[in-house]
Amino acid sequence: MKKILVTGGAGFIGSHLCPLLEQNGFKVTILDNLSPQIHGDSQQPPSWISKYNIHFVEGSVTDRPTLESVLVNVDGIIHLAAETGTGQSMYEIEKYNLVNSQATALMLDVITNKKIPVKRILLASSRSVYGEGAYVREAQESSSRIFPRPRLPEELANHQWTAKDASGKDLIPVPTREDDKIQPASIYASTKYAQEDLIAICCESLGIGYGILRLQNVYGEGQSLNNPYTGILSIFSTRVRMDKHLPIFEDGLETRDFVHVSDVAGAFLSALKRGEAPNTIINVGTGQFTTVVDIAEQLTRAFDKEPDIRVTGQYRVGDIRHNCADITRLKEVLNYTPKVSLEEGMKRFVDWVHTQPLPEDKLDKANQELKDKNLMG
Ligand SMILES: NC(=O)c1ccc[n+]([C@@H]2O[C@H](COP(=O)([O-])OP(=O)(O)OC[C@H]3O[C@@H](n4cnc5c(N)ncnc54)[C@H](O)[C@@H]3O)[C@@H](O)[C@H]2O)c1
């Protein structure tokens, strides 16, 4: 397998993955529409692309003629192109469905009807498909797994953050496995699940190898500093540089599994290089729960500043409370173990941020959009 099409390859994950693929002997074509929300208004491909032997095509995955032209003679596809903001997806519903679900259907339609001999398709899916993910009542091995439904707006308004058992005791989050219950809590999550289903069903029927990588919270160098809708570390880094306080939703004890972008690129490379396609779903994370307060403190300290953190009790409809991946399959099926510690990854990220112009802080504007639509309290 030599010729790889990376959709959305000019973005954050693509900026680590495409050079890694090229260095490993793959011929890479990127299809990317240089979305202004990610790339600003420059409309120039990012400068890193010219340092590698990578073919860049500007265009949208929603456009059939463009897809038909870039899919010619392609051996493998890594499908990254997507709209990625959880909160934004709750009011840009049509756009999220068009770019995420419908464009994936279009790509598969072209492959099927033009008889494109693609051998493998890898999808960047998301941990968001699990919704609240897995919990237990007691912290014991034998305790059975529970999958609470997504939190209701009225529960969030009452500051009832964590799912409870019948007696009113907080349930305990545990790492979520790939075969745990799927319960998307946002439009973004539902579109990522739609992508998964389309690819798995179509690839099974056509005999194309596939891999669905459910990425956790990816962070690191190259994450758009312009996009206020996703990427907590990028958003907060701008405020730290401006000596503004960091507003933290809920009680700050919500958790995420932060995985460095180079480990995500490494996992995709492993999935591509395997003799046989994994033909399965694989979590890509670290297996570690980190609270949002912790990450905000660590980030500020990495800038050599004192944390100014304000836990606001505010919330966004569609957010999940806890998230952490069970990474047994990542290790066993892809033979990949994450290499970058949070401390090291944070240092690399902050060193990179220092090289970037200070962007506008658009967080308040993004939050106001949610408030105007009753999606934030
Ligand atoms: N970053 C994360 O934390 C994370 C977590 C889970 C899943 N993912 C998934 O990984 C993938 C890549 O995410 P990322 O963090 O690199 O995002 P990103 O926004 O940095 O990159 C996405 C790229 O897709 C391009 N794009 C957007 N719409 C397009 C269209 N219609 N046609 C062609 N290109 C288009 C954008 O210009 C951008 O370059 C996405 O599918 C996302 O859902 C990311």
Side-chain angles (χ1 to χ4, degrees):
M1 186 167 345
K2 274 285 164 207
K3 203 177 161 197
I4 307 298
L5 173 69
V6 184
T7 69
F12 168 44
I13 293 173
S15 71
H16 291 255
L17 176 57
C18 296
L20 186 66
L21 295 179
E22 193 252 20
Q23 286 155 0
N24 277 270
F26 293 97
K27 284 185 71 177
V28 178
T29 296
I30 291 174
L31 171 64
D32 198 299
N33 70 348
L34 301 177
S35 156
Q37 185 163 302
I38 311 302
H39 299 276
D41 294 327
S42 89
Q43 284 307 297
Q44 292 298 317
S47 56
W48 60 263
I49 294 179
S50 62
K51 297 188 188 130
Y52 300 91
N53 187 13
I54 290 175
H55 180 51
F56 177 79
V57 177
E58 185 175 344
S60 175
V61 287
T62 58
D63 184 58
R64 182 183 285 269
T66 302
L67 280 176
E68 285 180 356
S69 72
V70 293
L71 281 168
V72 171
N73 295 331
V74 154
D75 296 311
I77 300 169
I78 301 185
H79 189 33
L80 304 181
E83 295 289 343
T84 63
T86 303
Q88 189 184 36
S89 76
M90 302 300 284
Y91 56 91
E92 299 255 6
I93 298 165
E94 187 182 6
K95 181 159 112 188
Y96 273 70
N97 271 278
L98 179 69
V99 176
N100 298 0
S101 327
Q102 175 63 17
T104 304
L106 182 61
M107 184 176 77
L108 294 166
D109 193 292
V110 171
I111 290 168
T112 306
N113 291 299
K114 291 278 172 186
K115 298 193 170 58
I116 311 276
V118 176
K119 297 182 191 67
R120 193 168 299 182
I121 301 179
L122 301 177
L123 171 70
S125 186
S126 161
R127 48 91 192 163
S128 63
V129 301
Y130 298 120
E132 285 305 319
Y135 286 72
V136 291
R137 279 196 187 84
E138 307 288 343
Q140 292 159 1
E141 279 284 300
S142 58
S143 190
S144 58
R145 296 161 82 77
I146 302 166
F147 306 101
R149 57 159 171 70
R151 299 174 299 172
L152 302 173
E154 50 269 35
E155 290 167 341
L156 295 168
N158 289 330
H159 290 193
Q160 189 185 317
W161 308 127
T162 299
K164 296 184 185 302
D165 69 10
S167 70
K169 205 171 119 200
D170 278 359
L171 295 171
I172 304 163
V174 292
T176 304
R177 299 178 195 142
E178 291 84 349
D179 49 9
D180 279 338
K181 190 168 178 179
I182 299 297
Q183 295 194 91
S186 65
I187 298 295
Y188 169 68
S190 82
T191 64
K192 296 308 285 185
Y193 190 52
Q195 289 185 314
E196 289 191 2
D197 249 359
L198 287 161
I199 286 178
I201 292 168
C202 212
C203 287
E204 295 279 1
S205 75
L206 295 175
I208 298 172
Y210 69 94
I212 291 166
L213 273 52
R214 287 190 182 144
L215 314 182
Q216 311 298 301
N217 274 66
V218 189
Y219 74 98
E221 315 81 88
Q223 188 159 37
S224 175
L225 300 174
N226 292 310
N227 184 0
Y229 301 104
T230 191
I232 183 173
L233 289 181
S234 288
I235 294 166
F236 279 179
S237 72
T238 300
R239 292 184 68 94
V240 172
R241 290 168 86 188
M242 291 176 165
D243 291 320
K244 288 182 172 178
H245 75 273
L246 301 183
I248 312 256
F249 289 139
E250 306 189 12
D251 59 359
L253 301 181
E254 59 274 23
T255 57
R256 298 290 182 266
D257 181 340
F258 290 96
V259 59
H260 189 262
V261 62
S262 62
D263 279 320
V264 171
F268 272 107
L269 180 66
S270 298
L272 205 56
K273 282 174 99 174
R274 276 173 53 102
E276 294 285 309
N279 284 347
T280 190
I281 299 165
I282 298 172
N283 287 333
V284 180
T286 64
Q288 307 289 326
F289 287 99
T290 303
T291 68
V292 173
V293 161
D294 267 357
I295 204 82
E297 282 181 1
Q298 288 188 47
L299 175 72
T300 317
R301 295 225 158 82
F303 274 99
D304 270 335
K305 296 192 177 186
E306 273 305 302
D308 181 1
I309 287 170
R310 302 199 195 152
V311 176
T312 62
Q314 291 182 305
Y315 58 87
R316 292 185 304 191
V317 175
D319 265 352
I320 56 168
R321 173 68 175 167
H322 292 298
N323 166 57
C324 174
D326 182 309
I327 56 168
T328 310
R329 270 197 206 169
L330 177 66
K331 292 178 180 167
E332 290 181 355
V333 178
L334 291 191
N335 197 19
Y336 192 85
T337 302
K339 297 174 178 52
V340 182
S341 68
L342 191 52
E343 193 185 358
E344 168 62 21
M346 194 79 82
K347 183 179 174 325
R348 289 190 202 176
F349 171 68
V350 170
D351 286 349
W352 169 77
V353 170
H354 281 307
T355 67
Q356 300 301 303
L358 184 62
E360 190 189 336
D361 172 23
K362 300 179 195 148
L363 180 60
D364 292 338
K365 180 178 159 281
N367 286 345
Q368 192 56 49
E369 286 173 17
L370 289 175
K371 283 182 194 155
D372 290 345
K373 297 188 165 63
N374 288 334
L375 292 167
M376 183 172 159

